[in-house]
Amino acid sequence: MSTTTNKLVVITGASSGIGEATAVLFAQKGYKLLLLARRKDRLEELVNDSRYSFNQDNTLIHQCDVTNVEDIRTGVELATKKFNLPVDCFINNAGIGHSSPLSEQSLDKQYAVIDVNIKGVLNGINVVAKDMVQRQAGTIINISSIAGRKTMDGASVYCGSKFAVHAISETLRSEVASSKVRVVVISPGVTESEITGHDEKLHEMVEGMKKGLTLGILKAQDVAESILYAYQAPPHVCLREIVLAPTEQSL
Ligand code: NDP
């Protein structure tokens, strides 16, 4: 059952996978939501889906490429005006993957991963962190990966981008701790989503990892629940990192 929670939560990459599942769960909990992604049609489809708790009063969608900081800033300005609330939680979830040996990768693909997975996160932080520090309140949740904790053959730049998310998050966490702002890293293992749909080698790599996992891989909702858990912890508790993976994932 939906209740109303007078907090504004921003989710990047809300049009599929983990971001979409997080949007659904946070809507169910009654949060005011700003949902960002490039595919506005997918956001529209999601918020009009009668199975979920989205409505005009609690949701704003905004077409946004996270590599463009002004896209994020405009969305945040529109949402803070619509709801007359500051951003209480910003979830840097948008991300892309790419897999192939480094010696064979095109620079274009490498740069795209860096742009979305690192610069996109920096852009999100740039839009909200200063205000959170001034207000002495707020939570920034960055979606990293097990690939941000250990390297994996074929995923060099993706791992590099997620190691960067860890380093940036931990430094930011330390810098804003005395301002009562929380910085959380969520590090999932293999999760059902559309991330492998754009890269054949990544698809093969993940399918290989899935083989023999009789209990299955994580569902996007599993990750969404860990995000909600971290956010709903009492204000004096900062869950600095949640690492979750399929039980049978050995990596
Ligand atoms: P999906 O491909 O299902 O979702 C990715 C989301 O990011 C989409 O909503 C997409 O929206 C958005 N996105 C991609 N590029 C941009 C961009 N330039 N600007 C704005 N939005 C963008 O993948 P996941 O749900 O798996 O990925 C979510 C996060 O989880 C990523 O950071 C990923 O690295 C991380 N992760 C995923 C794991 C997995 O196994 N699936 C494991 C560990 C971490 P649109 O295309 O509409 O812009």
Side-chain angles (χ1 to χ4, degrees):
M1 177 148 139
S2 168
T3 50
T4 300
T5 313
N6 228 19
K7 302 271 188 196
L8 172 56
V9 175
V10 183
I11 305 171
T12 70
S15 59
S16 68
I18 293 168
E20 177 183 327
T22 305
V24 168
L25 184 60
F26 275 64
Q28 190 192 333
K29 299 295 173 192
Y31 290 102
K32 305 281 191 278
L33 294 173
L34 168 62
L35 306 181
L36 304 174
R38 292 166 305 176
R39 289 172 296 173
K40 198 173 179 193
D41 55 330
R42 287 283 299 259
L43 293 176
E44 273 161 0
E45 233 175 86
L46 175 66
V47 301
N48 289 316
D49 191 324
S50 57
R51 288 175 299 167
Y52 306 133
S53 315
F54 300 103
N55 62 54
Q56 291 282 337
D57 297 335
N58 69 7
T59 318
L60 180 67
I61 61 173
H62 182 71
Q63 186 168 32
C64 165
D65 185 331
V66 293
T67 65
N68 180 356
V69 70
E70 293 313 320
D71 279 2
I72 304 176
R73 204 181 308 284
T74 303
V76 164
E77 281 169 5
L78 290 169
T80 51
K81 204 166 163 198
K82 173 180 167 77
F83 299 119
N84 196 23
L85 288 170
V87 175
D88 193 60
C89 179
F90 192 100
I91 304 171
N92 269 310
N93 164 74
I96 57 171
H98 172 59
S99 172
S100 65
L102 191 57
S103 57
E104 295 170 17
Q105 276 177 17
S106 79
L107 279 174
D108 283 352
K109 288 198 167 164
Q110 294 176 0
Y111 292 169
V113 172
I114 299 292
D115 283 347
V116 178
N117 294 8
I118 304 179
K119 291 189 190 169
V121 169
L122 290 173
N123 286 341
I125 291 168
N126 182 273
V127 170
V128 296
K130 199 170 175 185
D131 181 58
M132 287 181 176
V133 166
Q134 278 167 1
R135 288 187 295 108
Q136 305 248 307
T139 303
I140 293 172
I141 300 181
N142 295 332
I143 310 306
S144 183
S145 171
I146 297 274
R149 314 181 96 241
K150 48 179 94 174
T151 58
M152 298 170 197
D153 288 2
S156 52
V157 179
Y158 182 72
C159 289
S161 73
K162 294 302 188 181
F163 270 68
V165 171
H166 268 78
I168 290 162
S169 303
E170 175 56 13
T171 312
L172 178 68
R173 186 202 59 70
S174 171
E175 288 171 356
V176 301
S178 63
S179 304
K180 306 175 185 65
V181 175
R182 303 183 300 184
V183 179
V184 174
V185 177
I186 305 286
S187 303
V190 188
T191 308
E192 278 172 14
S193 78
E194 296 179 17
I195 198 164
T196 61
H198 316 284
D199 187 282
E200 203 178 316
K201 288 242 170 67
L202 181 63
H203 181 72
E204 282 168 19
M205 184 179 162
V206 171
E207 288 305 307
M209 288 171 83
K210 275 162 70 172
K211 270 193 192 132
L213 301 192
T214 56
L215 297 176
I217 61 172
L218 297 180
K219 295 184 171 41
Q221 194 186 340
D222 299 324
V223 183
E225 277 165 7
S226 72
I227 295 170
L228 182 71
Y229 181 74
Y231 178 51
Q232 288 191 331
H236 69 285
V237 177
C238 177
L239 280 153
R240 295 183 181 187
E241 183 180 5
I242 295 179
V243 185
L244 70 162
T247 301
E248 297 162 286
Q249 179 176 330
S250 59
L251 264 174

